[in-house]
Amino acid sequence: MTGMLNPSGASGSSTVARGSGPVGRSGEETGEETGEETGEAATRQSVREFLRRVTEGDPDRIAALYADEVDWMVAENPAVPWIKPRPTRADVAGHWADLAAHTVSGEGWATVGAIVVDGAEAVVTGELGGTVAATGKTFESPFALRLTVENGLITRHHVYEDSLAVAAACNPDAAA
């Protein structure tokens, strides 16, 4: 996730979990005892743990959920200080530390609309927002986060969001 959650600003699991419950391939809600494949259950568990740790805001605990090497994709934009290539677990910890350092504590938020799981692949959709510390400007965006989980670790992290809205909030000369 890029600007998805200001870890210090998220307000617990209700913020992250608001919306529909976990969704399987059929689009119907799934439960713990639906007989789904072990791989999908493990992926769903890893995604839920990731979201829980993001709300806690500890960059090292979030990064511990990632493989040593990560396929990290966020639309690069030099105006956004926390968006940069993050190909290693240590880089992932740096992302969450940078995000917290450059946004206003207590003003970041995200809601999850759906979690779709198919084997090792998961897509989390929702809305996010926050305030950039340097400018005092806010941003809001829908997002989709694609994660791949292998052996309990996140190996792919691709974020799709309104990167122009985030960049505008980072630019002191852009209209609010």
Side-chain angles (χ1 to χ4, degrees):
M1 299 187 308
T2 170
M4 184 170 148
L5 290 175
N6 175 348
S8 57
S11 60
S13 61
S14 64
T15 300
V16 171
R18 186 169 38 175
S20 65
V23 179
R25 281 180 280 183
S26 67
E28 295 180 9
E29 298 239 356
T30 59
E32 294 299 317
E33 302 184 11
T34 60
E36 63 188 318
E37 297 173 23
T38 304
E40 288 183 6
T43 300
R44 183 172 282 106
Q45 180 180 354
S46 293
V47 170
R48 287 180 176 158
E49 180 64 14
F50 165 77
L51 295 171
R52 188 182 69 72
R53 289 188 189 190
V54 167
T55 64
E56 291 174 355
D58 181 335
D60 292 324
R61 283 192 33 81
I62 298 167
L65 295 171
Y66 285 78
D68 291 335
E69 294 184 14
V70 181
D71 175 5
W72 181 278
M73 193 280 302
V74 179
E76 288 189 53
N77 190 318
V80 183
W82 58 88
I83 297 179
K84 56 183 86 168
R86 307 285 185 165
T88 68
R89 180 182 293 147
D91 293 329
V92 170
H95 166 77
W96 295 102
D98 288 349
L99 177 60
H102 293 285
T103 55
V104 176
S105 179
E107 294 189 20
W109 58 272
T111 58
V112 171
I115 300 171
V116 181
V117 175
D118 185 3
E121 302 296 322
V123 176
V124 180
T125 64
E127 302 279 332
L128 61 89
T131 303
V132 176
T135 64
K137 294 180 181 180
T138 62
F139 60 89
E140 293 185 16
S141 173
F143 75 87
L145 170 63
R146 179 182 179 190
L147 299 171
T148 301
V149 178
E150 299 172 358
N151 299 317
L153 296 173
I154 298 168
T155 59
R156 177 185 350 231
H157 177 118
H158 289 189
V159 176
Y160 306 91
E161 65 184 357
D162 183 352
S163 57
L164 291 177
V166 178
C170 292
N171 183 345
D173 298 327

